[in-house]
């Protein structure tokens, strides 16, 4: 069955003058009309309550109460759709099969990973890798999803002997940044590049003379503008929600390339560290 708003829009040109004015008011703000009594609506539209009742019957409704309920239900459904699309995206509905969900996720992630790696500034990445390989201390910071990615990079760098720490608490990160100096590196991850905590941590590191690296989707963001070096992830909205699903994959793809570049520049010590760390955890690995 067609929704009330759609039916009303289709009927509007053919309605009598009073009902047409009423229809225009309803179409302009259905949610507001759903909250009004019949007397309030009649006064606002400057029509009689009889005109409202006749319009309801034209729509196939028993009366104004039924119209209000129908409008409220439609607005609730529209709000839910907007919320879903804002978080999950437009490519997947709540009714899709898991196969369809899996195909959409694979397609979107593959596209964003390829675009991010192809579009990254390799000159800047090479410089960042060189600074990390020679760093006295490396500190990484991110909040939300970026904190998870920062932690993953810290784990990889630490395993090959790079003295790296990752923070998601701004107070702790600011404390660490205040103790840095030339020869140290701070890598701050923020998809938007405008997160206040991220900008503050980077600014503190700048003031101490440390090398500052921004990993962000927006090369023109405040974070990127104040960083010495920037690695842009270049995610654009596709069928899946950019923030919720794609940003972390783009960040991790770029940082995977960065990690390997650091390992290449520290090949001897990295391979020695890889062997030592692998051996250290060998007793805890499952033996088939």
């Amino acid at each position: 069955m067609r929704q009330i708003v759609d039916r009303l829009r289709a009927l509007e040109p053919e309605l009598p003058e009073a009902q047409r004015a009423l229809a225009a008011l309803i179409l302009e703000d259905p949610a507001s009309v759903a909250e009004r009594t019949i007397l309030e609506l009649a006064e606002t539209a400057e029509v009689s309550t009889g005109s409202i009742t006749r319009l309801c019957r034209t729509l196939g409704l028993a009366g104004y109460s039924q119209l209000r309920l129908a409008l409220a239900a439609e607005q609730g459904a529209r709000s839910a759709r907007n919320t879903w699309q804002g978080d999950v995206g437009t490519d997947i509905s709540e009714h899709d099969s898991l196969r369809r969900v899996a195909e959409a996720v694979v397609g979107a992630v593959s596209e964003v990973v390829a675009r991010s790696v192809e579009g990254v500034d390799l000159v800047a990445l090479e410089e960042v890798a060189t600074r990390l390989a020679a760093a006295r201390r490396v500190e990484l910071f991110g909040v939300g999803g970026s904190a998870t990615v920062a932690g993953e990079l810290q784990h990889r760098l630490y395993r090959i002997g790079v003295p790296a720490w990752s923070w998601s608490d701004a107070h702790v990160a600011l404390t660490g940044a205040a103790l840095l100096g030339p020869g140290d590196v701070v890598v701050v991850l923020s998809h938007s590049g405008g997160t206040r905590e991220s900008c503050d941590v980077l600014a503190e590191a700048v003031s101490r003379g440390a090398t500052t690296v921004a990993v962000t989707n927006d090369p023109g963001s405040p974070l990127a503008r104040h960083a010495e070096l920037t690695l842009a992830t270049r995610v654009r909205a596709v069928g899946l929600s950019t923030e919720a699903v794609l940003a972390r994959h783009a960040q991790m793809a770029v940082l995977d390339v960065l990690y390997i570049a650091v390992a290449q520049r520290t090949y001897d010590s990295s391979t020695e560290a890889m062997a030592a760390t692998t051996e250290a955890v060998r007793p805890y690995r499952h033996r088939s």
Side-chain angles (χ1 to χ4, degrees):
M1 183 177 180
R2 293 175 65 184
Q3 293 188 329
I4 291 296
V5 169
D6 292 337
R7 289 157 59 193
L8 189 58
R9 187 174 290 112
L11 289 170
E12 182 183 13
E14 303 174 1
L15 294 172
E17 183 177 352
Q19 293 184 41
R20 191 163 59 249
L22 183 59
L25 181 63
I26 295 172
L27 291 172
E28 181 180 354
D29 192 355
S32 175
V33 172
E35 297 177 354
R36 299 184 187 186
T37 66
I38 190 170
L39 292 176
E40 291 171 338
L41 180 60
E43 182 178 352
T44 301
E46 298 181 346
V47 299
S48 67
T49 56
S51 293
I52 297 175
T53 300
R54 284 190 288 274
L55 177 62
C56 292
R57 290 173 180 167
T58 299
L59 292 169
L61 303 174
Y64 181 60
S65 295
Q66 194 173 357
L67 174 63
R68 289 180 65 188
L69 290 173
L71 290 174
E74 288 182 15
Q75 295 311 301
R78 183 171 291 108
S79 177
R81 285 196 301 274
N82 291 339
T83 299
W84 174 273
Q85 291 176 2
D87 190 79
V88 175
T90 57
D91 273 1
I92 300 174
S93 79
E94 68 275 27
H95 303 298
D96 283 336
S97 67
L98 282 180
R99 179 174 294 279
R100 168 63 190 141
V101 172
E103 290 172 349
V105 170
V106 168
V109 171
S110 298
E111 181 181 350
V112 77
V113 166
R115 185 185 302 115
S116 296
V117 173
E118 290 171 0
V120 71
D121 184 342
L122 293 179
V123 174
L125 192 147
E126 186 170 8
E127 182 62 27
V128 173
T130 300
R131 303 282 185 98
L132 289 174
R136 181 183 69 94
R137 181 182 179 92
V138 176
E139 300 220 357
L140 302 104
F141 177 73
V143 296
S146 293
T148 302
V149 179
E152 178 66 20
L153 178 60
Q154 183 270 337
H155 172 74
R156 296 186 185 188
L157 291 175
Y158 200 71
R159 181 172 178 259
I160 61 172
V162 176
W165 287 262
S166 174
W167 314 114
S168 59
D169 183 293
H171 290 193
V172 177
L174 284 167
T175 301
L179 299 176
L180 300 180
D184 298 321
V185 179
V186 168
V187 181
V188 179
L189 291 80
S190 171
H191 179 70
S192 68
T195 307
R196 177 181 175 183
E197 295 91 336
S198 299
C199 292
D200 288 349
V201 169
L202 187 130
E204 181 64 33
V206 169
S207 72
R208 302 296 174 173
T211 294
T212 51
V213 180
V215 181
T216 179
N217 194 58
D218 184 2
S221 65
L223 187 71
R225 289 199 305 269
H226 292 94
E228 183 178 349
L229 297 162
T230 297
L231 300 178
T233 50
R234 304 184 186 281
V235 176
R236 67 174 175 81
V238 289
L240 293 179
S241 171
T242 300
E243 299 293 335
V245 180
L246 301 180
R248 66 182 181 273
H249 294 288
Q251 290 175 339
M252 202 65 252
V254 170
L255 295 180
D256 278 342
V257 178
L258 177 62
Y259 162 71
I260 294 173
V262 174
Q264 287 176 325
R265 283 155 180 75
T266 57
Y267 179 81
D268 291 338
S269 60
S270 290
T271 52
E272 184 179 340
M274 289 176 187
T277 53
T278 298
E279 185 60 32
V281 299
R282 188 182 302 279
Y284 301 96
R285 295 182 182 274
H286 175 71
R287 293 189 179 125
S288 56

